[in-house]
Amino acid sequence: VNDRTEPELTLADLGESEILGRIFPRLPESSATLVGPGDDCAVMTAPDGRFVITTDMMIQGPDFRLEWSTGHDLGVKAAATNLADVAAMGARPTGMVVSIAAPPMTSVTFMEDVADGLRDACLALAPGCGVVGGDLSVSTVLTFSITAFGDLEGREPLLRSGAQVGDVIAVAGRLGLAGMGLAALFAGERAGARESALQAQLAPLPPINQGVVGALAGAHAAMDISDSLVMDAGRIARASNVMMQLDEQVIDDLAGHLAIEVGADAARARQAILFGGEDHALLMTFPASATLPEGFLAIGTVVACGEGENPRVNLGDTAIAENGWNPYTGWNGETS
Amino acid sequence: VNDRTEPELTLADLGESEILGRIFPRLPESSATLVGPGDDCAVMTAPDGRFVITTDMMIQGPDFRLEWSTGHDLGVKAAATNLADVAAMGARPTGMVVSIAAPPMTSVTFMEDVADGLRDACLALAPGCGVVGGDLSVSTVLTFSITAFGDLEGREPLLRSGAQVGDVIAVAGRLGLAGMGLAALFAGERAGARESALQAQLAPLPPINQGVVGALAGAHAAMDISDSLVMDAGRIARASNVMMQLDEQVIDDLAGHLAIEVGADAARARQAILFGGEDHALLMTFPASATLPEGFLAIGTVVACGEGENPRVNLGDTAIAENGWNPYTGWNGETS
């Protein structure tokens, strides 16, 4: 909404270099940068001779709607989702490159808000991590593409394939809250929804530093929960050739608390915990002998596959179907 | 065009994991990979404790048209343009992550062709460099986003700010050929155009290895020519606070050769050499004492800014305006 008398300045009014000149000063700086923006590449330090790297896109329509998200929200979410992938390796995020394709009529203010969101997410979640480069393009569809990278600080990376029979399954961060927020938005119930659920969906702040904490505590396996607890636990199950057995009582307790927090019934909350996506909580397995670090909650146990059984996720003793987000069939084509 | 009786398989017919299962085996592997696709991040080696990183998007409409480019062309171009940025730092490309957002009705065959193009470009231009991760999304606009990275092998990075008065300005790769190809496509003269010009525009194979060669030969400054010779030389001029003086006779000779090669008049060829983009030739400056490596052509000299003069590009003794591509004003909104 533009309540000024002058028309709002758009990307089409400025050249690429002038737009960059407005955005770059707002972006967070990385303490691991040797050569920052302004050359054909950034040059980053990789102190232990390795780096981890991940990339993720956010597209207007399937991934976000401008009715629901501000530019600041989108900057936070784009950063947070990629930082969570770095954290899931047990690494410390050091930097990211950010590409944005936007319609020419996009306001410069909106792009500045995106930059502010990127900065605020990095400052809150991964101090020292910054934006070291990027690309601005034009498209009819607002599109974000982020590549984030990080430093293992001499540790072995945490993989999906590392879970061992007897491990404790634990999670850091929220489960189901982002899903409840999305359900409220789709139902047109934004006004009545809890702020915590909306924020978890629109501008999530997952516990990025818990990736390093979990690695230091001896975690065997890790990933971030982006599609759903059950779907992502299934990925660890297959990669590690084990059963991921979730504790039904713990899930029910979590559902009860979530239901109270967001004012929903417990059955819907339970569905969101098991099958809701986008919480970007960290799912790890720890040896039974490990002391779970503060902020991790035990939610199950890794057990062996029986004779002739395929790796899967159990809720208690019962197999549970893996449902989650499939972009090519899950999007109905709506963009607003 | 689908001349089979069965409808062509589209992305909407398959789940994300099945699509990835078809694409990943076609992608090039990186010899610098410690942990490849399948976890939340790839883990890469960075032998000298640093890495260079760059990112670039390609959007249907402003950056390419499916009337002109095959999936294979787009895979080659997406890889080549990013590899050129790594080369321009004097680094050896080690890997890339690739995100593609595509309409659900995109054929699986098209995506396989893109993967083949990525592979063929890496094999031809940067052996050992591979695709180590990525993201598949859905969008109404076909969108590619690539982040490439590389290894400096113990050398100092080549920067835009390194040009020194007295340096020889040299270029490796073609000038103007991609621009002539684009002009032929826009004029609807594809049938009569030279294959070399069309390939330079649609599926460029710039001399990536010359980045390392130039660095080893002692280059002071470098960048890749993506927007135009004059526009990119202007960036080196400002970053280094020097005049980039192009040799008019050399430019005219190049124009004469290009005119004959593509069957155009010399004036148009000269425009393409100076102001055409997307050749991704490597522009470097070398100390006058250096022996120019094979494949580099001297095209000018770095001279000092006079009293009160701003850094700029000269053709002979005359200042030349910096024209090139501005995405927010240069795109007319057409996508086909």
Side-chain angles (χ1 to χ4, degrees), chain A residues 56-333:
Chain A
D56 203 38
M57 275 186 154
M58 279 186 2
I59 317 273
Q60 184 179 357
D63 295 320
F64 65 86
R65 298 183 181 193
L66 292 179
E67 288 177 6
W68 296 341
S69 297
T70 65
H72 191 276
D73 288 342
L74 293 169
V76 169
K77 184 159 182 167
T81 53
N82 280 279
L83 294 174
D85 283 323
V86 172
M89 303 299 285
R92 189 177 304 282
T94 52
M96 55 179 74
V97 290
V98 177
S99 291
I100 305 176
M105 288 301 117
T106 305
S107 76
V108 174
T109 303
F110 177 86
M111 298 294 266
E112 291 173 338
D113 288 346
V114 171
D116 290 347
L118 292 166
R119 182 194 63 223
D120 291 344
C122 285
L123 291 175
L125 302 178
C129 177
V131 176
V132 305
D135 186 28
L136 279 183
S137 297
V138 61
S139 177
T140 53
V141 177
L142 182 61
T143 302
F144 299 89
S145 178
I146 294 206
T147 299
F149 31 91
D151 179 17
L152 286 162
E153 301 176 324
R155 296 180 297 273
E156 285 307 296
L158 300 179
L159 306 181
R160 299 179 184 182
S161 56
Q164 296 178 21
V165 172
D167 278 1
V168 174
I169 304 169
V171 68
R174 297 300 305 262
L175 288 175
L177 195 57
M180 294 304 291
L182 186 63
L185 290 166
F186 268 121
E189 296 166 353
R190 179 169 190 151
R194 293 302 186 281
E195 191 51 43
S196 62
L198 295 174
Q199 194 206 309
Q201 170 57 225
L202 298 175
L205 294 172
I208 300 305
N209 192 53
Q210 295 289 67
V212 171
V213 169
L216 290 171
H220 280 156
M223 67 181 297
D224 100 294
I225 301 175
S226 50
D227 290 330
S228 77
L229 170 60
V230 173
M231 200 163 168
D232 290 325
R235 292 179 168 128
I236 291 182
R238 285 187 295 281
S240 300
N241 195 30
V242 295
M243 297 285 193
M244 295 285 279
Q245 187 155 302
L246 304 178
D247 184 321
E248 195 158 12
Q249 185 60 52
V250 174
I251 298 296
D252 286 344
D253 287 349
L254 285 172
H257 290 295
L258 179 60
I260 292 167
E261 176 178 348
V262 303
D265 65 64
R268 278 183 63 195
R270 191 171 186 271
Q271 284 292 106
I273 284 170
L274 293 170
F275 304 114
E278 301 190 275
D279 279 306
H280 301 287
L282 293 172
L283 178 65
M284 296 197 182
T285 80
F286 290 89
S289 60
T291 303
L292 277 193
E294 199 177 333
F296 280 89
L297 175 71
I299 61 167
T301 312
V302 179
V303 300
C305 296
E307 181 79 20
E309 284 183 321
N310 289 322
R312 63 165 195 254
V313 182
N314 285 344
L315 184 59
D317 294 328
T318 312
I320 185 165
E322 291 178 29
N323 291 319
W325 169 247
N326 176 353
Y328 293 106
T329 56
W331 180 43
N332 66 0

Side-chain angles (χ1 to χ4, degrees), chain B residues 48-119:
Chain B
D48 81 355
R50 302 168 300 168
F51 62 98
V52 304
I53 188 157
T54 182
T55 194
D56 202 39
M57 275 185 154
M58 279 186 2
I59 317 272
Q60 184 178 355
D63 295 320
F64 65 86
R65 299 185 179 191
L66 292 179
E67 287 176 5
W68 297 342
S69 296
T70 65
H72 191 277
D73 288 342
L74 293 169
V76 169
K77 185 160 182 166
T81 53
N82 280 280
L83 293 174
D85 283 324
V86 173
M89 303 298 286
R92 189 177 304 282
T94 53
M96 55 179 75
V97 291
V98 178
S99 291
I100 306 175
M105 288 300 118
T106 305
S107 76
V108 174
T109 303
F110 177 86
M111 298 293 267
E112 291 174 339
D113 288 345
V114 171
D116 290 346
L118 292 166
R119 183 194 63 222

